Amino acid sequence: MTIRRPAPALFAVASIVSALALSGCAAATSGATSPAAVAPEILLVRHAEAESGGTDPALTDAGRRRAEALADLLADEPLAAVLATDTRRARDTAAPTAERHGLTVEIYDPRRLDELAARLRERGGSVLVVGHSNTTPELARLLGGDPGTPIAHHEHDRLYRVDPATGTTVLERFGIPRPATSTGYANRLPAAYQTPKSRLAMPKIGTRRSRRRVAAPRPTRRPTASVTAAIARAAAPAKATSAASA
């Protein structure tokens, strides 16, 4: 039996063609799941919880945990940049996410939000912007998104996802919800974001009932027959006197 083997030159050509075909398939597959194929989003958050007092307060322990929770949430996002105002609480909120993505926190001027919105549209790619309770909803509006209700004083877990091309806005919550305060913010959180422990800690504002008892009106006593007769006898002389004087 004679076995024919392919010529070495033909075998080499076939190997090269096969390798090119496989590399083309791999490129097509990787391109389908590459970050460039994902529609860019502008992610907007307010800074995490900060210390009270001072001109440039730092984050509290709860604020640092929330900043780490934000970094965990955005770990797989194809972020091209991370921006923050030049305040310690905003920079420290943005730092963990920037570090996860190998980025440096870029500083922006919150007094020029219209210019920032224009740059974000032209920049392309997903960007995280850390701001404040008044600047974050306004930036969402300037990007064509829905700012929603005003951010409450104790609200630090709202995340905007704004599509700069269409203005489509998605709101998310991240981290542990803020405990109940006098503003009642925690009571307005959807039940999905409230743990059983947090529900127990939240007083239901406006639903407390007073336990003070209101006394029932006392019944009016009617005079007896003897009392009525005595009153009639006492009134008889007075009628006689008035008739005589007339």
Side-chain angles (χ1 to χ4, degrees):
M1 179 180 295
T2 303
I3 300 176
R4 295 184 178 180
R5 299 182 181 275
L10 295 176
F11 182 77
V13 171
S15 300
I16 293 173
V17 172
S18 300
L20 290 175
L22 291 175
S23 62
C25 294
T29 304
S30 61
T33 58
S34 63
V38 179
E41 291 180 323
I42 308 300
L43 309 175
L44 310 176
V45 296
R46 181 195 180 190
H47 64 80
E49 292 88 337
E51 299 285 354
S52 59
T55 57
D56 193 14
L59 295 181
T60 62
D61 291 340
R64 286 188 287 272
R65 290 194 296 270
R66 190 175 299 282
E68 292 292 341
L70 178 62
D72 292 339
L73 177 65
L74 304 181
D76 296 328
E77 295 286 340
L79 294 180
V82 176
L83 281 65
T85 61
D86 195 11
T87 58
R88 186 176 180 182
R89 56 191 181 278
R91 295 193 306 269
D92 290 351
T93 301
T97 301
E99 183 178 357
R100 297 275 186 96
H101 291 267
L103 301 171
T104 301
V105 177
E106 302 178 23
I107 303 301
Y108 72 93
D109 189 348
R111 297 169 296 181
R112 298 180 176 179
L113 293 179
D114 52 346
E115 298 178 5
L116 175 61
R119 292 201 308 270
L120 291 173
R121 289 195 190 94
E122 297 172 357
R123 185 167 191 163
S126 296
V127 179
L128 170 65
V129 182
V130 180
H132 303 266
S133 60
N134 56 340
T135 64
T136 301
E138 177 63 13
L139 183 55
R141 185 187 69 79
L142 292 172
L143 289 169
D146 182 3
T149 58
I151 296 180
H153 177 68
H154 295 283
E155 184 178 357
H156 299 272
D157 61 350
R158 184 188 299 190
L159 170 65
Y160 292 86
R161 290 181 178 269
V162 182
D163 185 338
T166 63
T168 302
T169 306
V170 177
L171 295 181
E172 294 182 11
R173 300 287 183 183
F174 67 96
I176 301 175
R178 176 81 178 186
T181 65
S182 58
T183 62
Y185 159 66
N187 291 289
R188 297 197 298 272
L189 281 175
Y193 301 116
Q194 296 180 11
T195 62
K197 184 177 180 181
S198 66
R199 289 197 195 100
L200 293 176
M202 286 188 259
K204 295 183 178 180
I205 298 174
T207 60
R208 184 178 179 181
R209 296 181 179 178
S210 174
R211 295 183 179 181
R212 184 179 62 182
R213 294 182 179 180
V214 180
R218 295 182 179 180
T220 304
R221 294 183 178 181
R222 296 182 178 181
T224 59
S226 58
V227 173
T228 303
I231 294 174
R233 288 194 299 270
K239 292 182 179 179
T241 302
S242 61
S245 60

